[in-house]
Amino acid sequence: MAQVASSRYALSAANTERARQAGYVDAQWPLPAIDPSRLREFQERSNARAALSTALWLALILMSGWVLVATWWSWWSLPAVAVYSALYGGASDSRWHEMGHGTAFNSRRLNDAVYYLACFMLLRGPTVWRWSHYRHHTDTIITGHDAEIAFQRPPSIVRALWRFTHVQGGLELLGRLLRHSVGRLDAEARELVPEHEQHRVVVESRVMVVILAAAVMMSGLLSSAVPVILVGGSTILGGWLVVFFGITQHAGLQEDVLDHRRNTRTVMMNPVFRFLYLNMNFHVEHHMFPSVPYHALPELHAEIGPQLAPALPSTGAAYRQIFSALRKQRNDSSYEIPIDLPTMTGGEKAIDIGAENWMRGPEGQVILGLETSLGDGELRRVDVGDRSLVVGRTESGRLFACDGWCSHQKVHLAGGAIIGEEIECPKHNARFDCLSGEATRKPAHEMLRTYPVTVSEGRISIDSPRSDSVGG
Ligand code: FES
């Protein structure tokens, strides 16, 4: 939830420098220990599951929209407006989020299609918000660097409650779209979106403004508020649900810490909330492993839960904690919610084949291990001298080796996922073609160096990674 930022929170050059000096920018965040094969199971995408959930959401929108039109204007139309707007302007937020990560469907096109639809429902420019969310995952609740810090200190309870109306937030989003549609990008968009993509911000805003204008004209022609409520108005009417869930993610928790267990909250919610919110109540788990789709988060929680702070037992408990903390922070900005943390033993480690385990072959090639040790879709980190590689097998069974560090930021790809013939980064879900190294999904745009793999007598090998003869 971006908002007009006060001094300490503004994405200014001075604040960026302050955060960088303190070591908070692009930092390494600790991770819990997890068996790589379990992680791989959790990372699996499912077109069927995502299609079912999306179809149910859209069907409910259409049904409530139909009731709204059929009963307009009577008392029956009020509950229809309430349900329609909550699904349209509220539940779309979690769809926007999951599809933005590209983790719901196996199909990239389906993820993108629902992402654009949800962006429109929320009046969010697709490109600006994609880049804003990358930053949120890199520098979660780092002041002056994360544009999505919703509850800035000192907090105001009145402002927090006013937020639930989404009147101000909705009008700000609309104003932003209008400004962007005429080419006036705000400072945040210029800071977050790479220059070569900024023209997209303008084009997307124009398309959205034209559709909204058509709804307004239709309302004028029909002398009825229905078209505006159905298209655009429900963003504001249903925005309370975005705030209702969104507030549980980070509000009142610690700023400027490099541990998701200190600045993010997991809350146990009922099945209806979890459908509307697409399991984002498992928010610590999501921040630690953004490559795990929403449907696997409960299982991931069961797996790594003992290494996390205890989850809040209910939405009510989360609200009590949040408002108690906001009240205290109103008088003392430095107040922090006390959190007991168990030991976490994971981190960025070489997986399975460490630096000491590769061998030099008779021709000087680097032998990385037995072919049978890598199943389809498996990845391993291999450190060879001063290089760190990722070696793996695509879903179709083709072996590959490429540079292990993502070309976006310093995150190792061995913790990522194989999606078809591509490798996906575990941090911001960029993808690379395994065989060519080409960057195929944002935010990465530089390709990875690849190393031709040969298999001889059941052993996987590559030429020396230092040799000029290798590369993609
Ligand atoms: S570190 Fe950002 S996509 Fe890899």
Side-chain angles (χ1 to χ4, degrees):
M1 285 179 278
Q3 62 181 25
V4 177
S6 64
S7 55
R8 198 161 69 88
Y9 295 89
L11 305 194
S12 63
N15 281 339
T16 295
E17 191 46 34
R18 173 180 54 77
R20 200 177 293 284
Q21 295 272 343
Y24 294 139
V25 175
D26 301 344
Q28 298 291 316
W29 293 65
L31 291 176
I34 183 165
D35 177 347
S37 63
R38 288 291 284 156
L39 180 58
R40 218 169 23 256
E41 285 171 29
F42 298 143
Q43 286 167 330
E44 274 199 19
R45 320 288 151 87
S46 163
N47 278 343
R49 290 185 83 136
L52 199 64
S53 170
T54 306
L56 179 58
W57 168 59
L58 291 176
L60 290 170
I61 289 179
L62 290 176
M63 276 166 52
S64 53
W66 178 79
V67 175
L68 189 162
V69 173
T71 58
W72 191 262
W73 165 238
S74 72
W75 287 110
W76 286 109
S77 55
L78 290 181
V81 169
V83 172
Y84 177 86
S85 59
L87 292 162
Y88 179 106
S92 50
D93 179 56
S94 51
R95 276 73 193 170
W96 161 82
H97 176 264
E98 186 76 20
M99 308 299 156
H101 280 281
T103 40
F105 292 93
N106 206 19
S107 153
R108 186 181 311 185
R109 283 203 178 139
L110 288 173
N111 281 319
D112 285 347
V114 180
Y115 177 74
Y116 280 99
L117 175 67
C119 277
F120 177 74
M121 289 172 162
L122 294 161
L123 302 182
R124 294 177 185 169
T127 298
V128 180
W129 279 78
R130 214 188 266 276
W131 283 97
S132 153
H133 201 62
Y134 295 144
R135 176 71 71 84
H136 175 61
H137 269 267
T138 307
D139 301 315
T140 311
I141 318 298
I142 299 299
T143 56
H145 224 243
D146 181 356
E148 298 187 16
I149 302 179
F151 289 88
Q152 304 181 353
R153 301 184 194 182
S156 152
I157 304 290
V158 174
R159 252 198 335 258
L161 295 174
W162 169 243
R163 228 170 215 290
F164 278 84
T165 66
H166 202 48
V167 171
Q168 186 180 343
L171 293 176
E172 280 172 8
L173 287 166
L174 193 57
R176 192 180 198 203
L177 270 186
L178 289 169
R179 282 193 304 280
H180 287 177
S181 72
V182 294
R184 285 177 46 213
L185 266 60
D186 56 31
E188 189 181 304
R190 286 198 305 275
E191 154 81 12
L192 294 171
V193 181
E195 222 169 303
H196 67 277
E197 285 195 28
Q198 291 184 1
H199 69 284
R200 298 184 60 160
V201 176
V202 178
V203 174
E204 289 163 355
S205 306
R206 284 181 184 163
V207 172
M208 290 166 78
V209 167
V210 166
I211 299 172
L212 293 170
V216 172
M217 276 171 54
M218 189 64 82
S219 272
L221 286 173
L222 298 176
S223 302
S224 164
V226 169
V228 164
I229 291 176
L230 289 177
V231 179
S234 283
T235 306
I236 293 177
L237 294 174
W240 67 271
L241 193 60
V242 177
V243 182
F244 177 76
F245 288 134
I247 195 174
T248 66
Q249 297 177 356
H250 308 284
L253 290 170
Q254 297 179 20
E255 298 173 339
D256 297 336
V257 288
L258 299 177
D259 188 335
H260 289 301
R261 301 174 301 169
R262 293 188 182 281
N263 64 16
T264 307
R265 193 182 273 110
T266 282
V267 183
M268 304 315 281
M269 290 186 179
N270 66 53
V272 175
F273 283 6
R274 282 178 40 193
F275 164 72
L276 294 171
Y277 193 28
L278 273 192
N279 282 341
M280 274 306 121
N281 51 306
F282 296 103
H283 213 64
V284 179
E285 294 80 353
H286 165 69
H287 266 273
M288 288 176 157
F289 297 100
S291 60
V292 172
Y294 72 98
H295 62 77
L297 289 176
E299 288 171 88
L300 177 62
H301 171 76
E303 186 83 13
I304 63 172
Q307 298 175 70
L308 310 180
L312 275 293
S314 66
T315 313
Y319 267 76
R320 281 192 292 280
Q321 185 190 67
I322 292 163
F323 277 92
S324 159
L326 294 183
R327 265 200 308 275
K328 289 174 182 154
Q329 286 168 356
R330 199 177 40 174
N331 301 320
D332 174 7
S333 284
S334 64
Y335 172 78
E336 304 290 6
I337 298 170
I339 300 173
D340 279 338
L341 292 178
T343 310
M344 198 158 65
T345 52
E348 300 240 353
K349 288 183 184 165
I351 297 173
D352 206 6
I353 306 174
E356 68 283 5
N357 292 335
W358 58 271
M359 293 179 294
R360 187 73 71 187
E363 318 276 304
Q365 74 273 39
V366 173
I367 299 172
L368 302 172
L370 292 176
E371 186 194 8
T372 49
S373 68
L374 267 177
D376 292 351
E378 286 190 1
L379 294 170
R380 295 222 178 104
R381 171 173 171 167
V382 185
D383 294 333
V384 180
D386 58 357
R387 276 186 183 266
S388 190
L389 314 182
V390 61
V391 183
R393 203 189 274 278
T394 67
E395 279 180 7
S396 69
R398 298 170 79 176
L399 287 163
F400 70 92
C402 57
D403 274 345
W405 298 109
C406 180
S407 65
H408 177 228
Q409 286 169 1
K410 200 165 183 237
V411 171
H412 208 284
L413 295 167
I418 290 289
I419 311 290
E421 303 303 290
E422 295 178 331
I423 184 168
E424 183 183 273
C425 175
K427 186 76 177 174
H428 307 107
N429 310 89
R431 290 194 197 168
F432 302 89
D433 184 286
C434 293
L435 299 175
S436 70
E438 187 193 344
T440 57
R441 189 174 191 278
K442 283 184 278 193
H445 56 89
E446 279 173 36
M447 66 190 303
L448 299 174
R449 192 174 196 194
T450 57
Y451 305 89
V453 171
T454 50
V455 178
S456 166
E457 298 175 354
R459 295 191 295 185
I460 307 167
S461 65
I462 58 170
D463 289 344
S464 167
R466 288 195 189 143
S467 160
D468 288 331
S469 63
V470 297

